[in-house]
Amino acid sequence: MEKKAVKPYVVGMDIGGTNTVFGIVDQDGNVVCQDSVKTKAYPIIEDYVNAIGEKLDVLIESVGGKEKINGMGVGAPNGNYYTGNIEFAPNLSWKGIVPLAKLFGERIGVPCKLTNDANAAAIGEMTYGAAKGMKHFIMITLGTGVGSGIVIDGKLVYGHDGFAGELGHVIAVPDGRLCGCGRKGCLETYCSATGIVRTAKEVLTSSYDPSMLRNIPESELTSKDIFDCAMAGDAIAKDIFQKTGELLGKSLANFTAFSSPEAFIIFGGLAKAGDLIFKPVKEAMEENMLAVFKNKVKVLPSQLKDADAAVLGASALGWEF
């Protein structure tokens, strides 16, 4: 049977708790054009789909129109590959079950598939980045939340219901901080960009030690502020990164016992902190590692810039049609 000719482009989109980035990708994995919107600016899903649809129409037209697009792939928090729905995402404004693939397929006029945002990043990293050639690795995304994509024997693990790989919601601190998912002590309440800000506020409230962080209004404090202060030598800011890295490293030691990955690939804003985060992560991971796994597992930063890993990974779904 003759193979169906593949059209030259796909659409890839990454939905984050803060920003949504989307672009047109060619067969060589180049993002030929892209745009973005603020996710939180559209609490009504139909408004969100239309806002992106208008911008995507322009991008699609610039490469020759819909007939040049093979399909669309979307990476989203709590995105279910099997159903095409976003289901009960704690860090998004839309509650319950959202038929996202169906909504975009109808609005754009091309077939659409959906997966978890961290799974999309893992596909991107495996195809174009630090995990190229690896068959066993775990992608950890440190953004508004903590996501993960688990790859075993070269295949993403989806589980029986499409939701395998929610490592951001393992309980890292029993009876710890309340999480957006409704449980207490989830890893993402400590090791996400929002989690590190919560740590900073707790530390600043519980001590009187001097810190440059005290010059920033509490309501405006961001993870980048903590990074900037740490790089400037601020002791409290450096200690916040140390604590965050230790907790993440312990968790990685636990995750290793499950699938014995060759590497953990760390992606997202906090990964840009370099040794501030990687040093305590690696030390705590090895310190807490089961003996049989010691000194076998790498911890690597993503090799793909910012949104590219997720956009490219999501776009790979568009070739499946």
Side-chain angles (χ1 to χ4, degrees):
M1 196 169 128
E2 196 179 332
K3 194 180 172 188
K4 185 178 159 191
V6 176
K7 295 171 184 177
Y9 300 104
V10 287
V11 175
M13 184 163 82
D14 172 48
I15 302 176
T18 307
N19 294 308
T20 296
V21 185
F22 43 90
I24 311 285
V25 179
D26 67 16
Q27 290 173 326
D28 296 321
N30 300 306
V31 180
V32 295
C33 54
Q34 66 175 30
D35 207 336
S36 65
V37 300
K38 294 281 184 197
T39 312
K40 288 179 178 170
Y42 302 97
I44 297 167
I45 187 65
E46 289 79 9
D47 295 345
Y48 173 79
V49 171
N50 282 329
I52 290 172
E54 285 175 13
K55 291 191 169 192
L56 262 179
D57 287 342
V58 175
L59 298 186
I60 290 169
E61 208 50 50
S62 75
V63 297
K66 266 189 315 198
E67 56 275 14
K68 300 283 188 184
I69 306 293
N70 198 69
M72 177 174 181
V74 181
N78 287 44
N80 190 323
Y81 178 77
Y82 296 146
T83 65
N85 299 332
I86 291 177
E87 303 183 22
F88 308 101
N91 296 318
L92 296 177
S93 308
W94 323 303
K95 299 306 170 196
I97 295 175
V98 180
L100 199 92
K102 180 173 180 286
L103 289 170
F104 271 104
E106 289 171 354
R107 172 60 184 80
I108 306 302
V110 298
C112 181
K113 282 192 175 181
L114 173 72
T115 191
N116 175 288
D117 52 342
N119 287 341
I123 296 167
E125 206 69 53
M126 186 163 49
T127 312
Y128 309 107
K132 202 166 185 177
M134 287 187 198
K135 290 198 163 185
H136 301 269
F137 72 95
I138 296 177
M139 185 89 181
I140 303 287
T141 62
L142 306 177
T144 309
V146 172
S148 61
I150 300 169
V151 173
I152 296 175
D153 201 23
K155 298 181 186 75
L156 265 165
V157 176
Y158 282 110
H160 84 282
D161 60 353
F163 283 120
E166 283 293 341
L167 298 179
H169 292 285
V170 297
I171 293 171
V173 179
D175 291 318
R177 296 171 182 170
L178 184 64
C179 182
C181 74
R183 303 191 313 154
K184 287 183 176 176
C186 290
L187 184 65
E188 81 167 33
T189 65
Y190 295 89
C191 296
S192 61
T194 43
I196 200 170
V197 170
R198 285 172 82 169
T199 302
K201 289 176 180 176
E202 284 178 9
V203 170
L204 292 170
T205 305
S206 63
S207 82
Y208 295 100
D209 295 340
S211 171
M212 289 184 278
L213 292 168
R214 298 189 188 279
N215 301 329
I216 302 161
E218 191 177 291
S219 61
E220 293 172 22
L221 187 65
T222 67
S223 56
K224 186 173 186 309
D225 294 326
I226 302 164
F227 168 72
D228 289 342
C229 290
M231 290 304 286
D234 187 273
I236 282 186
K238 281 160 73 174
D239 189 50
I240 290 164
F241 269 102
Q242 181 71 26
K243 284 187 168 75
T244 304
E246 284 174 4
L247 193 58
L248 182 57
K250 283 180 185 176
S251 298
L252 297 190
N254 286 335
F255 302 159
T256 299
F258 162 67
S259 68
S260 185
E262 182 181 338
F264 289 98
I265 315 289
I266 312 293
F267 174 74
L270 284 187
K272 293 175 195 164
D275 279 350
L276 272 175
I277 191 86
F278 279 91
K279 191 166 181 287
V281 165
K282 289 174 182 174
E283 286 173 357
M285 182 182 80
E286 290 300 344
E287 197 178 312
N288 291 277
M289 193 75 92
L290 197 62
V292 72
F293 298 120
K294 276 187 187 290
N295 302 310
K296 284 184 181 176
V297 186
K298 298 188 278 273
V299 181
L300 304 169
S302 166
Q303 284 181 359
L304 300 176
K305 59 180 188 186
D306 297 333
D308 272 10
V311 169
L312 286 169
S315 77
L317 298 174
W319 300 117
E320 292 183 8
F321 297 102

